[in-house]
Amino acid sequence: MYVVRRPVLYSRDELLMVMDAELNVTEFADYCPNGLQLEGCDSIGKVVSAVTASLNAINYAVSVEADMLLVHHGYFWKGEAPSLVGMKYRRIKALMDGSINLVAYHLPLDAHATLGNNA
């Protein structure tokens, strides 16, 4: 007998609401947007996490068919050039081609008592 396990799918928007609430996103004036930075598919079955949304992390997320890449250091930092060229273009294109949601939490993750970097 073979058992086929299907992934549990979560609504992207519901999952984001839970994460935003748990990390108290509205309490922080950050250097970058926290939460959803790049919209991908609507349903989430597989999440890959990394410190930074590097091309290696993105390529791994693509290779395992992830629906979401959850990172500490995302994109769109204050003072950063807004142009989507070069390395930034390649990274964002890879995420878009894979329909992968990019979700980043910077200061909220630093500050969280149990989930954060300082826990």
Side-chain angles (χ1 to χ4, degrees), residues 6-93:
R6 296 196 171 122
V8 176
L9 297 179
Y10 298 93
S11 158
R12 176 196 58 234
D13 297 336
E14 289 177 6
L15 187 56
L16 287 169
M17 284 184 353
V18 170
M19 290 190 298
D20 286 355
E22 178 64 34
L23 293 171
N24 299 311
V25 171
T26 59
E27 300 298 315
F28 296 90
D30 210 335
Y31 311 101
C32 62
N34 287 292
L36 184 64
Q37 291 189 343
L38 185 69
E39 184 178 86
C41 58
D42 294 331
S43 297
I44 308 300
K46 188 180 289 183
V47 177
V48 168
S49 65
V51 173
T52 301
S54 66
L55 190 54
N56 284 341
I58 293 165
N59 287 340
Y60 178 76
V62 169
S63 75
V64 298
E65 299 179 355
D67 304 307
M68 179 180 284
L69 176 58
L70 173 63
V71 299
H72 180 58
H73 298 132
Y75 301 142
F76 312 111
W77 296 86
K78 289 180 184 173
E80 176 183 75
S83 302
L84 298 179
V85 297
M87 177 178 60
K88 192 172 186 181
Y89 167 80
R90 289 188 297 276
R91 290 175 178 184
I92 290 176
K93 183 178 186 317

Side-chain angles (χ1 to χ4, degrees), residues 74-117:
Y75 301 142
F76 312 111
W77 296 86
K78 289 180 184 173
E80 176 183 75
S83 302
L84 298 179
V85 297
M87 177 178 60
K88 192 172 186 181
Y89 167 80
R90 289 188 297 276
R91 290 175 178 184
I92 290 176
K93 183 178 186 317
L95 288 164
M96 292 177 73
D97 288 349
S99 195
I100 298 172
N101 294 278
L102 176 62
V103 179
Y105 294 101
H106 184 241
L107 292 181
L109 194 54
D110 282 339
H112 197 277
T114 58
L115 300 175
N117 305 326

